[in-house]
């Protein structure tokens, strides 16, 4: 649900819409500027359909929030996994598979389930897609750090990363 109005100035990273239900996350401004429209607007989708949108006329300044809504955590390992999941939700982190499925849900196996092995799928689904391979080659430390964070969030005993043999 929008928490800004037309005419409001917003900063990069500012929450502009709050979660509307469990399978939902807040939305943050991708840059700074002025909100010019809230409502039905064409979206980048092959269907050509429109959807509810918050349109920001960016100012070219990319001004971040003067005070971040979420302070960075120096050591997440001392954080309760539930608190970690809540912070992931508040940050608006979602999957990039097309449905923008909230990541905090994926990080919540439930109290009755134990996760023995976390498996990160680094194998591409089609032969000419190479984004996973490029990320693993260019940002291996970030991937390992993310795997360790996820492992803590789901309390997994071990983590395996699956890659293609090419």
């Amino acid at each position: 649900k929008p928490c800004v109005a037309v005419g409001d100035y917003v900063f990069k990273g500012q929450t502009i819409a709050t979660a509307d239900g469990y399978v939902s996350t807040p939305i943050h401004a991708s840059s700074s500027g002025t909100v010019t429209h809230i409502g039905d607007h064409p979206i980048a989708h092959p269907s050509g359909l429109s959807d509810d949108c918050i349109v920001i006329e960016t100012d070219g300044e990319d001004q971040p929030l003067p005070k971040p809504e979420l302070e960075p955590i120096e050591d997440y390992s001392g954080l309760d996994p539930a608190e970690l999941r809540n912070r992931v939700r508040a940050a608006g982190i979602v999957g990039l598979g097309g449905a923008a499925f909230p990541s905090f849900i994926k990080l919540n196996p439930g109290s009755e389930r134990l996760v023995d092995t976390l498996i990160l799928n680094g194998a591409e689904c089609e032969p000419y897609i190479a984004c996973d391979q490029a990320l693993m080659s260019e940002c291996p430390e970030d991937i390992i750090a993310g795997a360790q964070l996820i492992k803590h969030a789901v309390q997994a005993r071990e983590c395996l990363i699956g890659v293609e043999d090419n």
Side-chain angles (χ1 to χ4, degrees), residues 117-123 132-133 135-136 139-148 150-151 158-165:
T117 305
L118 168 66
I119 301 173
L120 300 184
N121 180 2
D132 288 352
Q133 179 181 341
L135 280 171
M136 288 185 283
C139 309
E141 296 87 5
D142 293 335
I143 290 174
I144 297 302
Q148 290 171 328
I150 294 168
K151 186 178 169 208
E158 68 176 342
C159 177
L160 303 175
I161 301 174
V163 296
E164 296 178 66
D165 63 3

PDB file of all heavy atoms in Angstrom, residues 117-123 132-133 135-136 139-148 150-151 158-165:
ATOM      1  N   THR A 117      20.698 -29.574   4.990  1.00  0.00           N
ATOM      2  CA  THR A 117      21.591 -29.102   3.944  1.00  0.00           C
ATOM      3  C   THR A 117      20.922 -28.010   3.124  1.00  0.00           C
ATOM      4  O   THR A 117      19.847 -28.207   2.569  1.00  0.00           O
ATOM      5  CB  THR A 117      21.981 -30.266   3.006  1.00  0.00           C
ATOM      6  OG1 THR A 117      22.534 -31.329   3.798  1.00  0.00           O
ATOM      7  CG2 THR A 117      22.996 -29.829   1.967  1.00  0.00           C
ATOM      8  N   LEU A 118      21.573 -26.856   3.064  1.00  0.00           N
ATOM      9  CA  LEU A 118      21.163 -25.766   2.192  1.00  0.00           C
ATOM     10  C   LEU A 118      21.837 -25.997   0.855  1.00  0.00           C
ATOM     11  O   LEU A 118      23.049 -26.208   0.792  1.00  0.00           O
ATOM     12  CB  LEU A 118      21.601 -24.417   2.789  1.00  0.00           C
ATOM     13  CG  LEU A 118      21.502 -23.201   1.887  1.00  0.00           C
ATOM     14  CD1 LEU A 118      20.048 -22.883   1.562  1.00  0.00           C
ATOM     15  CD2 LEU A 118      22.188 -22.008   2.537  1.00  0.00           C
ATOM     16  N   ILE A 119      21.068 -25.981  -0.220  1.00  0.00           N
ATOM     17  CA  ILE A 119      21.634 -26.175  -1.558  1.00  0.00           C
ATOM     18  C   ILE A 119      21.401 -24.906  -2.367  1.00  0.00           C
ATOM     19  O   ILE A 119      20.268 -24.469  -2.539  1.00  0.00           O
ATOM     20  CB  ILE A 119      20.999 -27.382  -2.281  1.00  0.00           C
ATOM     21  CG1 ILE A 119      21.213 -28.660  -1.460  1.00  0.00           C
ATOM     22  CG2 ILE A 119      21.557 -27.519  -3.690  1.00  0.00           C
ATOM     23  CD1 ILE A 119      20.481 -29.872  -1.996  1.00  0.00           C
ATOM     24  N   LEU A 120      22.493 -24.313  -2.845  1.00  0.00           N
ATOM     25  CA  LEU A 120      22.403 -23.159  -3.740  1.00  0.00           C
ATOM     26  C   LEU A 120      22.550 -23.674  -5.167  1.00  0.00           C
ATOM     27  O   LEU A 120      23.531 -24.343  -5.498  1.00  0.00           O
ATOM     28  CB  LEU A 120      23.505 -22.143  -3.443  1.00  0.00           C
ATOM     29  CG  LEU A 120      23.523 -21.542  -2.046  1.00  0.00           C
ATOM     30  CD1 LEU A 120      24.621 -20.484  -1.947  1.00  0.00           C
ATOM     31  CD2 LEU A 120      22.180 -20.939  -1.693  1.00  0.00           C
ATOM     32  N   ASN A 121      21.564 -23.363  -5.996  1.00  0.00           N
ATOM     33  CA  ASN A 121      21.550 -23.836  -7.368  1.00  0.00           C
ATOM     34  C   ASN A 121      22.264 -22.822  -8.254  1.00  0.00           C
ATOM     35  O   ASN A 121      21.727 -21.766  -8.568  1.00  0.00           O
ATOM     36  CB  ASN A 121      20.104 -24.035  -7.829  1.00  0.00           C
ATOM     37  CG  ASN A 121      20.017 -24.532  -9.255  1.00  0.00           C
ATOM     38  OD1 ASN A 121      21.028 -24.767  -9.914  1.00  0.00           O
ATOM     39  ND2 ASN A 121      18.798 -24.676  -9.744  1.00  0.00           N
ATOM     40  N   GLY A 122      23.478 -23.141  -8.662  1.00  0.00           N
ATOM     41  CA  GLY A 122      24.240 -22.275  -9.547  1.00  0.00           C
ATOM     42  C   GLY A 122      24.247 -22.761 -10.978  1.00  0.00           C
ATOM     43  O   GLY A 122      25.044 -22.306 -11.798  1.00  0.00           O
ATOM     44  N   ALA A 123      23.362 -23.694 -11.303  1.00  0.00           N
ATOM     45  CA  ALA A 123      23.282 -24.231 -12.664  1.00  0.00           C
ATOM     46  C   ALA A 123      22.202 -23.463 -13.426  1.00  0.00           C
ATOM     47  O   ALA A 123      21.089 -23.275 -12.928  1.00  0.00           O
ATOM     48  CB  ALA A 123      22.952 -25.722 -12.631  1.00  0.00           C
ATOM     49  N   ASP A 132      24.318 -16.688 -13.586  1.00  0.00           N
ATOM     50  CA  ASP A 132      24.803 -17.357 -12.381  1.00  0.00           C
ATOM     51  C   ASP A 132      26.319 -17.565 -12.466  1.00  0.00           C
ATOM     52  O   ASP A 132      27.055 -17.294 -11.525  1.00  0.00           O
ATOM     53  CB  ASP A 132      24.120 -18.717 -12.184  1.00  0.00           C
ATOM     54  CG  ASP A 132      22.665 -18.602 -11.766  1.00  0.00           C
ATOM     55  OD1 ASP A 132      22.211 -17.479 -11.470  1.00  0.00           O
ATOM     56  OD2 ASP A 132      21.979 -19.640 -11.740  1.00  0.00           O
ATOM     57  N   GLN A 133      26.773 -18.037 -13.626  1.00  0.00           N
ATOM     58  CA  GLN A 133      28.207 -18.270 -13.821  1.00  0.00           C
ATOM     59  C   GLN A 133      28.977 -16.959 -13.697  1.00  0.00           C
ATOM     60  O   GLN A 133      30.035 -16.904 -13.060  1.00  0.00           O
ATOM     61  CB  GLN A 133      28.453 -18.898 -15.183  1.00  0.00           C
ATOM     62  CG  GLN A 133      29.921 -19.149 -15.473  1.00  0.00           C
ATOM     63  CD  GLN A 133      30.148 -19.752 -16.847  1.00  0.00           C
ATOM     64  OE1 GLN A 133      29.240 -20.296 -17.456  1.00  0.00           O
ATOM     65  NE2 GLN A 133      31.363 -19.638 -17.346  1.00  0.00           N
ATOM     66  N   LEU A 135      28.111 -14.216 -12.024  1.00  0.00           N
ATOM     67  CA  LEU A 135      28.116 -13.784 -10.626  1.00  0.00           C
ATOM     68  C   LEU A 135      29.107 -14.596  -9.794  1.00  0.00           C
ATOM     69  O   LEU A 135      29.830 -14.042  -8.968  1.00  0.00           O
ATOM     70  CB  LEU A 135      26.719 -13.903 -10.027  1.00  0.00           C
ATOM     71  CG  LEU A 135      25.748 -12.786 -10.366  1.00  0.00           C
ATOM     72  CD1 LEU A 135      24.349 -13.136  -9.890  1.00  0.00           C
ATOM     73  CD2 LEU A 135      26.199 -11.481  -9.755  1.00  0.00           C
ATOM     74  N   MET A 136      29.130 -15.907 -10.022  1.00  0.00           N
ATOM     75  CA  MET A 136      30.058 -16.739  -9.258  1.00  0.00           C
ATOM     76  C   MET A 136      31.512 -16.419  -9.598  1.00  0.00           C
ATOM     77  O   MET A 136      32.375 -16.484  -8.736  1.00  0.00           O
ATOM     78  CB  MET A 136      29.756 -18.221  -9.487  1.00  0.00           C
ATOM     79  CG  MET A 136      28.472 -18.669  -8.806  1.00  0.00           C
ATOM     80  SD  MET A 136      28.154 -20.437  -8.934  1.00  0.00           S
ATOM     81  CE  MET A 136      27.564 -20.571 -10.605  1.00  0.00           C
ATOM     82  N   CYS A 139      31.883 -12.328  -8.288  1.00  0.00           N
ATOM     83  CA  CYS A 139      31.578 -11.972  -6.890  1.00  0.00           C
ATOM     84  C   CYS A 139      31.558 -13.182  -5.970  1.00  0.00           C
ATOM     85  O   CYS A 139      30.613 -13.370  -5.190  1.00  0.00           O
ATOM     86  CB  CYS A 139      30.223 -11.277  -6.827  1.00  0.00           C
ATOM     87  SG  CYS A 139      30.016  -9.911  -7.952  1.00  0.00           S
ATOM     88  N   PRO A 140      32.586 -14.038  -6.005  1.00  0.00           N
ATOM     89  CA  PRO A 140      32.520 -15.256  -5.191  1.00  0.00           C
ATOM     90  C   PRO A 140      32.435 -14.978  -3.688  1.00  0.00           C
ATOM     91  O   PRO A 140      31.724 -15.692  -2.972  1.00  0.00           O
ATOM     92  CB  PRO A 140      33.807 -16.005  -5.549  1.00  0.00           C
ATOM     93  CG  PRO A 140      34.731 -14.962  -6.078  1.00  0.00           C
ATOM     94  CD  PRO A 140      33.855 -13.941  -6.745  1.00  0.00           C
ATOM     95  N   GLU A 141      33.118 -13.938  -3.208  1.00  0.00           N
ATOM     96  CA  GLU A 141      33.083 -13.628  -1.770  1.00  0.00           C
ATOM     97  C   GLU A 141      31.666 -13.234  -1.335  1.00  0.00           C
ATOM     98  O   GLU A 141      31.217 -13.612  -0.248  1.00  0.00           O
ATOM     99  CB  GLU A 141      34.072 -12.505  -1.423  1.00  0.00           C
ATOM    100  CG  GLU A 141      35.525 -12.856  -1.653  1.00  0.00           C
ATOM    101  CD  GLU A 141      35.987 -12.573  -3.091  1.00  0.00           C
ATOM    102  OE1 GLU A 141      35.207 -12.004  -3.893  1.00  0.00           O
ATOM    103  OE2 GLU A 141      37.130 -12.926  -3.412  1.00  0.00           O
ATOM    104  N   ASP A 142      30.980 -12.461  -2.176  1.00  0.00           N
ATOM    105  CA  ASP A 142      29.614 -12.049  -1.853  1.00  0.00           C
ATOM    106  C   ASP A 142      28.672 -13.250  -1.811  1.00  0.00           C
ATOM    107  O   ASP A 142      27.767 -13.330  -0.968  1.00  0.00           O
ATOM    108  CB  ASP A 142      29.095 -11.027  -2.866  1.00  0.00           C
ATOM    109  CG  ASP A 142      29.839  -9.696  -2.799  1.00  0.00           C
ATOM    110  OD1 ASP A 142      30.403  -9.381  -1.729  1.00  0.00           O
ATOM    111  OD2 ASP A 142      29.849  -8.987  -3.820  1.00  0.00           O
ATOM    112  N   ILE A 143      28.870 -14.181  -2.730  1.00  0.00           N
ATOM    113  CA  ILE A 143      28.016 -15.374  -2.757  1.00  0.00           C
ATOM    114  C   ILE A 143      28.252 -16.221  -1.510  1.00  0.00           C
ATOM    115  O   ILE A 143      27.301 -16.694  -0.883  1.00  0.00           O
ATOM    116  CB  ILE A 143      28.236 -16.175  -4.053  1.00  0.00           C
ATOM    117  CG1 ILE A 143      27.661 -15.364  -5.225  1.00  0.00           C
ATOM    118  CG2 ILE A 143      27.591 -17.555  -3.967  1.00  0.00           C
ATOM    119  CD1 ILE A 143      27.923 -15.931  -6.577  1.00  0.00           C
ATOM    120  N   ILE A 144      29.506 -16.387  -1.129  1.00  0.00           N
ATOM    121  CA  ILE A 144      29.814 -17.160   0.085  1.00  0.00           C
ATOM    122  C   ILE A 144      29.234 -16.460   1.311  1.00  0.00           C
ATOM    123  O   ILE A 144      28.640 -17.091   2.188  1.00  0.00           O
ATOM    124  CB  ILE A 144      31.336 -17.389   0.233  1.00  0.00           C
ATOM    125  CG1 ILE A 144      31.875 -18.218  -0.936  1.00  0.00           C
ATOM    126  CG2 ILE A 144      31.667 -18.041   1.570  1.00  0.00           C
ATOM    127  CD1 ILE A 144      31.238 -19.580  -1.114  1.00  0.00           C
ATOM    128  N   ALA A 145      29.383 -15.134   1.388  1.00  0.00           N
ATOM    129  CA  ALA A 145      28.828 -14.380   2.525  1.00  0.00           C
ATOM    130  C   ALA A 145      27.311 -14.530   2.576  1.00  0.00           C
ATOM    131  O   ALA A 145      26.729 -14.728   3.650  1.00  0.00           O
ATOM    132  CB  ALA A 145      29.223 -12.911   2.432  1.00  0.00           C
ATOM    133  N   GLY A 146      26.652 -14.461   1.416  1.00  0.00           N
ATOM    134  CA  GLY A 146      25.202 -14.644   1.364  1.00  0.00           C
ATOM    135  C   GLY A 146      24.799 -16.049   1.765  1.00  0.00           C
ATOM    136  O   GLY A 146      23.806 -16.246   2.476  1.00  0.00           O
ATOM    137  N   ALA A 147      25.571 -17.035   1.320  1.00  0.00           N
ATOM    138  CA  ALA A 147      25.285 -18.430   1.693  1.00  0.00           C
ATOM    139  C   ALA A 147      25.398 -18.613   3.199  1.00  0.00           C
ATOM    140  O   ALA A 147      24.577 -19.297   3.817  1.00  0.00           O
ATOM    141  CB  ALA A 147      26.241 -19.374   0.965  1.00  0.00           C
ATOM    142  N   GLN A 148      26.413 -17.993   3.812  1.00  0.00           N
ATOM    143  CA  GLN A 148      26.577 -18.111   5.261  1.00  0.00           C
ATOM    144  C   GLN A 148      25.413 -17.457   6.009  1.00  0.00           C
ATOM    145  O   GLN A 148      24.939 -17.987   7.009  1.00  0.00           O
ATOM    146  CB  GLN A 148      27.915 -17.498   5.689  1.00  0.00           C
ATOM    147  CG  GLN A 148      29.087 -18.323   5.230  1.00  0.00           C
ATOM    148  CD  GLN A 148      30.420 -17.632   5.443  1.00  0.00           C
ATOM    149  OE1 GLN A 148      30.531 -16.412   5.379  1.00  0.00           O
ATOM    150  NE2 GLN A 148      31.458 -18.431   5.680  1.00  0.00           N
ATOM    151  N   ILE A 150      22.307 -17.059   4.826  1.00  0.00           N
ATOM    152  CA  ILE A 150      21.130 -17.915   4.635  1.00  0.00           C
ATOM    153  C   ILE A 150      21.244 -19.162   5.514  1.00  0.00           C
ATOM    154  O   ILE A 150      20.261 -19.588   6.131  1.00  0.00           O
ATOM    155  CB  ILE A 150      20.968 -18.304   3.149  1.00  0.00           C
ATOM    156  CG1 ILE A 150      20.641 -17.064   2.307  1.00  0.00           C
ATOM    157  CG2 ILE A 150      19.875 -19.362   2.976  1.00  0.00           C
ATOM    158  CD1 ILE A 150      20.740 -17.299   0.807  1.00  0.00           C
ATOM    159  N   LYS A 151      22.426 -19.732   5.566  1.00  0.00           N
ATOM    160  CA  LYS A 151      22.647 -20.915   6.402  1.00  0.00           C
ATOM    161  C   LYS A 151      22.277 -20.616   7.858  1.00  0.00           C
ATOM    162  O   LYS A 151      21.639 -21.420   8.526  1.00  0.00           O
ATOM    163  CB  LYS A 151      24.104 -21.371   6.284  1.00  0.00           C
ATOM    164  CG  LYS A 151      24.418 -22.657   6.972  1.00  0.00           C
ATOM    165  CD  LYS A 151      25.880 -23.045   6.738  1.00  0.00           C
ATOM    166  CE  LYS A 151      26.222 -24.194   7.657  1.00  0.00           C
ATOM    167  NZ  LYS A 151      27.614 -24.224   8.016  1.00  0.00           N
ATOM    168  N   GLU A 158      24.904 -27.719   6.868  1.00  0.00           N
ATOM    169  CA  GLU A 158      25.897 -27.557   5.827  1.00  0.00           C
ATOM    170  C   GLU A 158      25.285 -26.858   4.613  1.00  0.00           C
ATOM    171  O   GLU A 158      24.074 -26.726   4.499  1.00  0.00           O
ATOM    172  CB  GLU A 158      26.491 -28.914   5.404  1.00  0.00           C
ATOM    173  CG  GLU A 158      25.513 -29.813   4.685  1.00  0.00           C
ATOM    174  CD  GLU A 158      26.143 -31.112   4.192  1.00  0.00           C
ATOM    175  OE1 GLU A 158      27.388 -31.187   4.095  1.00  0.00           O
ATOM    176  OE2 GLU A 158      25.394 -32.040   3.905  1.00  0.00           O
ATOM    177  N   CYS A 159      26.152 -26.422   3.696  1.00  0.00           N
ATOM    178  CA  CYS A 159      25.707 -25.763   2.480  1.00  0.00           C
ATOM    179  C   CYS A 159      26.476 -26.346   1.292  1.00  0.00           C
ATOM    180  O   CYS A 159      27.705 -26.484   1.348  1.00  0.00           O
ATOM    181  CB  CYS A 159      25.939 -24.252   2.574  1.00  0.00           C
ATOM    182  SG  CYS A 159      25.489 -23.373   1.061  1.00  0.00           S
ATOM    183  N   LEU A 160      25.752 -26.673   0.250  1.00  0.00           N
ATOM    184  CA  LEU A 160      26.344 -27.154  -0.994  1.00  0.00           C
ATOM    185  C   LEU A 160      25.964 -26.193  -2.105  1.00  0.00           C
ATOM    186  O   LEU A 160      24.852 -25.672  -2.129  1.00  0.00           O
ATOM    187  CB  LEU A 160      25.852 -28.559  -1.347  1.00  0.00           C
ATOM    188  CG  LEU A 160      26.066 -29.655  -0.307  1.00  0.00           C
ATOM    189  CD1 LEU A 160      25.406 -30.960  -0.761  1.00  0.00           C
ATOM    190  CD2 LEU A 160      27.543 -29.874  -0.064  1.00  0.00           C
ATOM    191  N   ILE A 161      26.895 -25.970  -3.026  1.00  0.00           N
ATOM    192  CA  ILE A 161      26.628 -25.120  -4.185  1.00  0.00           C
ATOM    193  C   ILE A 161      26.735 -25.984  -5.424  1.00  0.00           C
ATOM    194  O   ILE A 161      27.792 -26.562  -5.694  1.00  0.00           O
ATOM    195  CB  ILE A 161      27.608 -23.929  -4.253  1.00  0.00           C
ATOM    196  CG1 ILE A 161      27.503 -23.085  -2.990  1.00  0.00           C
ATOM    197  CG2 ILE A 161      27.313 -23.077  -5.499  1.00  0.00           C
ATOM    198  CD1 ILE A 161      28.526 -21.974  -2.897  1.00  0.00           C
ATOM    199  N   GLY A 162      25.647 -26.083  -6.167  1.00  0.00           N
ATOM    200  CA  GLY A 162      25.630 -26.885  -7.375  1.00  0.00           C
ATOM    201  C   GLY A 162      26.003 -26.031  -8.583  1.00  0.00           C
ATOM    202  O   GLY A 162      25.453 -24.944  -8.772  1.00  0.00           O
ATOM    203  N   VAL A 163      26.972 -26.511  -9.364  1.00  0.00           N
ATOM    204  CA  VAL A 163      27.380 -25.815 -10.577  1.00  0.00           C
ATOM    205  C   VAL A 163      27.422 -26.808 -11.728  1.00  0.00           C
ATOM    206  O   VAL A 163      27.473 -28.023 -11.521  1.00  0.00           O
ATOM    207  CB  VAL A 163      28.763 -25.133 -10.413  1.00  0.00           C
ATOM    208  CG1 VAL A 163      28.716 -24.054  -9.352  1.00  0.00           C
ATOM    209  CG2 VAL A 163      29.837 -26.144 -10.077  1.00  0.00           C
ATOM    210  N   GLU A 164      27.423 -26.279 -12.952  1.00  0.00           N
ATOM    211  CA  GLU A 164      27.525 -27.140 -14.114  1.00  0.00           C
ATOM    212  C   GLU A 164      28.975 -27.585 -14.319  1.00  0.00           C
ATOM    213  O   GLU A 164      29.892 -26.881 -13.885  1.00  0.00           O
ATOM    214  CB  GLU A 164      27.030 -26.379 -15.347  1.00  0.00           C
ATOM    215  CG  GLU A 164      25.549 -26.018 -15.241  1.00  0.00           C
ATOM    216  CD  GLU A 164      25.081 -25.215 -16.435  1.00  0.00           C
ATOM    217  OE1 GLU A 164      25.069 -25.760 -17.547  1.00  0.00           O
ATOM    218  OE2 GLU A 164      24.733 -24.050 -16.233  1.00  0.00           O
ATOM    219  N   ASP A 165      29.163 -28.692 -14.983  1.00  0.00           N
ATOM    220  CA  ASP A 165      30.517 -29.208 -15.145  1.00  0.00           C
ATOM    221  C   ASP A 165      31.296 -28.501 -16.258  1.00  0.00           C
ATOM    222  O   ASP A 165      32.451 -28.797 -16.496  1.00  0.00           O
ATOM    223  CB  ASP A 165      30.522 -30.718 -15.385  1.00  0.00           C
ATOM    224  CG  ASP A 165      29.808 -31.133 -16.668  1.00  0.00           C
ATOM    225  OD1 ASP A 165      29.349 -30.250 -17.422  1.00  0.00           O
ATOM    226  OD2 ASP A 165      29.718 -32.334 -16.924  1.00  0.00           O
TER     227      ASP A 165
END
